[in-house]
Amino acid sequence: MAASKAPAYRIHDLRPDAPTDSVALTIDDGPHPVWTPRILDVLRLNRVSATFSVVGAQAVANPELVRRIVAEGHSLCNHSMTHPQPFSRRTPDQIRIEMTRAQSAIVDAGAEPPRLFRAPGETGPRPSSRLRPAWA
């Protein structure tokens, strides 16, 4: 599937065939060595898939959890390298570095490069217009 040039804001932007009552479950800021395994166990028990928004520093510290997330059929999302706050006040170069380093950390942990990015700490339906995938 070719990378989309427009950001995705709804499930149907990414999965047009998803049922109309679908919801997206996202787990942010990990993988955490205590909580991520517990969350993965609950998801497996209930046959639920999720998208894990991975912080690059956490991927470096817990590569086995990145591999487990993928092995159990979940999606990964780039969530920056260090989760700086406020992210939207970073310069375009700082944002690009955060995104690129996280992308590399996730791949180095054994996963495919994530196609999704979620800015840390951002609220509201639209990300900053300054954000662009560094790997596109």
Side-chain angles (χ1 to χ4, degrees), residues 37 43 58:
L43 293 172
Q58 292 293 89

Side-chain angles (χ1 to χ4, degrees), residues 4-5 7 53-57 59-60 76-84 87-88 90-108 112-120 122 127-136:
S4 172
K5 295 189 189 288
S53 295
V54 175
V55 174
V60 170
L76 298 180
C77 175
N78 180 329
H79 199 39
S80 80
M81 186 64 189
T82 63
H83 204 278
F87 193 74
S88 61
R90 300 297 188 256
T91 68
D93 282 342
Q94 290 171 325
I95 290 170
R96 189 175 303 103
I97 289 166
E98 281 284 328
M99 293 172 71
T100 303
R101 288 184 61 217
Q103 198 78 350
S104 294
I106 294 166
V107 170
D108 290 348
E112 293 293 318
R115 294 181 3 182
L116 301 174
F117 173 77
R118 179 167 184 259
E122 300 295 321
S128 169
S129 62
R130 296 186 333 180
L131 301 181
R132 289 194 180 86
W135 55 89

Side-chain angles (χ1 to χ4, degrees), residues 32-43 68:
H32 187 277
V34 173
W35 298 110
T36 300
R38 292 178 183 182
I39 291 168
L40 287 167
D41 292 345
V42 169
L43 293 172
R68 180 177 169 193

